[in-house]
DNA sequence: GAAAGCCTTGACCGACTGGTCAGTCACAGG
DNA sequence: CCTGTGACTGACCAGTCGGTCAAGGCTTTC
């Protein structure tokens, strides 16, 4: 029953192979909320400490630096995205079905990790840790490639018109990535409903050219 | 010959009704570049001063605060956008032509004001000046309304399928707004070429539903 | 030449930043 | 009862932040 909570669920697993104590997790959760709300620079270690109800010194007992805290959040936010989305793309579907499934899955993941995602994307470029940075870039590239492959297959099979897979992928991801700038989680429309409407528009466009 | 450089050209006019001296303009240009490159928080007044080759105190002789400098940049960046785009939408064109013209014009404006635009959108939400903030929000709303009206007209005339104008507008603007996150000005593709490809995809989608 | 007025500056301020450190506390094993 | 260990803290550090200020040029005007 619990044997399959591994790669495809929505929980945030520990950073690397460490286990995180309750205290650490509560600090991380507090930091996630603050980073998402105010941004990396505008969030001080004192802010995190007082919001978490602990002393600032304790942060440095559990983490090595502010960057460390942020990096764990950003790392977790994107860690399972690729696998999660990949698992939700029907292997035997049409290109249109796959594209829509990709968008919906990405939106679902986004919904569940909203704060961490916003925090991560707000400060995406300021990670001084080369290795971690490259890991994240590699994951992002793989994510984009998954999308382009779907579009390319559709173009080659004639299901889509003769569009550039890279450019189409960028347009799709623009819609998904920009969503957090205007979407209000309190409002009626869920991210899934939004990307489904996006998919309606986009898929119509792609198929119009195929005749 | 020079009588028509007023509302529709791409130059950045003075803030409000003031005239800006050469020195002020050079400070603003320096600030624009730094804000765009590093963001608002990460750019200090000392950075701007030394990059502009003047003392920090001089900044406070010409401007009242860091916010003042940033606000002038952000204000200028969006000041002429609406008029510029409006003037480039063909009054007697089809909805598809108008939508494409809208996107191309926005991309052109973006190209010419890239740094200021990036600086402004990176810190869009942190303006403490209510009046200025509301002015910018009003302009943005007007900008979105212009776009929605185009889509709505296309839907009502049957040229487009039965899409939601608001949601379609968001998708279009997502592509335009997200562009600066990945677009490299050094590379071959210009923003105009990119939005033209976006328009190809989107317009196909909209028209497919009309039959 | 002196007064007037802007441009320009270095020195300085209090507030705040990320980070450190000696030391307190509770609790474990001997 | 002693000793260690990990969680936890207040006080403190050097450095940077946005912003201020009195005073020194540099022109222009009388």
């Amino acid at each position: 029953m619990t044997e399959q909570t591994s790669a495809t669920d929505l929980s945030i697993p520990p950073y690397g192979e460490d286990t995180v104590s309750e205290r650490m997790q509560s600090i991380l959760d507090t930091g996630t909320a603050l980073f998402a709300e105010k941004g990396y620079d505008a969030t001080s270690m004192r802010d995190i400490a007082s919001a978490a109800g602990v002393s600032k010194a304790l942060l440095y007992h559990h983490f090595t630096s502010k960057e460390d805290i942020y990096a764990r959040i950003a790392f977790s936010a994107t860690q399972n995205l690729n696998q999660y989305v990949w698992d939700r793309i029907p292997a035997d579907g049409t290109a249109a079905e796959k594209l829509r499934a990709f968008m919906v899955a990405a939106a679902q993941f986004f919904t569940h990790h909203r704060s961490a995602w916003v925090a991560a994307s707000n400060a995406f470029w300021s990670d001084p840790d080369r290795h971690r940075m490259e890991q994240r870039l590699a994951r992002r590239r793989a994510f984009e490639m998954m999308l382009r492959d779907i579009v390319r297959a559709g173009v080659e099979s004639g299901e889509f018109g003769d569009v550039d897979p890279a450019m189409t992928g960028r347009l799709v991801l623009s819609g998904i990535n920009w969503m957090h700038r205007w979407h209000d989680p309190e409002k009626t429309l869920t991210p899934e409903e939004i990307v489904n409407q996006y998919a309606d528009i986009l898929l119509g466009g792609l198929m119009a050219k195929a005749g």
Side-chain angles (χ1 to χ4, degrees), chain A:
Chain A
M1 192 76 94
T2 48
E3 74 174 10
Q4 187 64 353
T5 51
S6 58
T8 63
D9 72 340
L10 282 163
S11 68
I12 293 191
Y15 186 61
E17 302 302 325
D18 310 351
T19 49
V20 274
S21 66
E22 271 187 41
R23 232 316 106 78
M24 287 176 80
Q25 191 56 56
S26 109
I27 292 172
L28 286 173
D29 291 345
T30 306
T32 301
L34 289 176
F35 284 143
E37 183 190 346
K38 311 199 296 174
Y40 180 81
D41 287 326
T43 301
S44 72
M45 292 297 265
R46 283 167 181 81
D47 291 341
I48 298 175
S50 82
V54 297
S55 73
K56 186 165 69 80
L58 185 62
L59 303 186
Y60 289 93
H61 177 72
H62 289 300
F63 306 94
T64 68
S65 67
K66 181 183 180 182
E67 258 298 319
D68 179 32
I69 294 180
Y70 167 74
R72 287 168 191 255
I73 293 169
F75 193 89
S76 300
T78 55
Q79 182 153 234
N80 293 329
L81 174 63
N82 292 14
Q83 189 64 45
Y84 180 84
V85 171
W86 177 259
D87 288 346
R88 270 145 194 85
I89 297 176
D92 56 351
T94 64
E97 286 165 355
K98 288 182 179 176
L99 181 57
R100 186 183 294 270
F102 179 98
M103 294 176 70
V104 169
Q108 280 172 350
F109 197 90
F110 163 78
T111 304
H112 284 83
H113 294 308
R114 184 168 192 278
S115 290
W117 184 273
V118 171
S121 77
N122 274 349
F124 189 89
W125 299 107
S126 60
D127 194 333
D129 185 321
R130 283 294 175 84
H131 178 62
R132 255 186 346 229
M133 187 68 191
E134 279 167 20
Q135 248 182 327
R136 280 160 65 196
L137 282 175
R139 277 204 292 256
R140 202 185 60 145
R141 267 196 301 272
F143 187 63
E144 288 174 1
M145 281 307 153
M146 202 193 313
L147 177 54
R148 288 183 197 180
D149 286 346
I150 293 173
V151 176
R152 190 177 299 112
V155 171
E156 285 170 0
S157 74
E159 187 182 344
F160 293 162
D162 187 25
V163 294
D164 176 11
M167 201 57 68
T168 306
R170 289 199 186 97
L171 179 55
V172 169
L173 291 180
S174 294
I176 295 172
N177 288 330
W178 192 253
M179 205 162 45
H180 79 75
R181 289 271 199 151
W182 59 269
H183 179 249
D184 181 357
E186 311 281 313
K187 292 288 170 57
T188 51
L189 246 56
T190 66
E192 280 145 276
E193 291 167 336
I194 293 165
V195 294
N196 260 311
Q197 290 201 42
Y198 282 176
D200 290 342
I201 299 165
L202 290 163
L203 286 174
L206 295 170
M207 291 193 288
K209 301 201 136 195

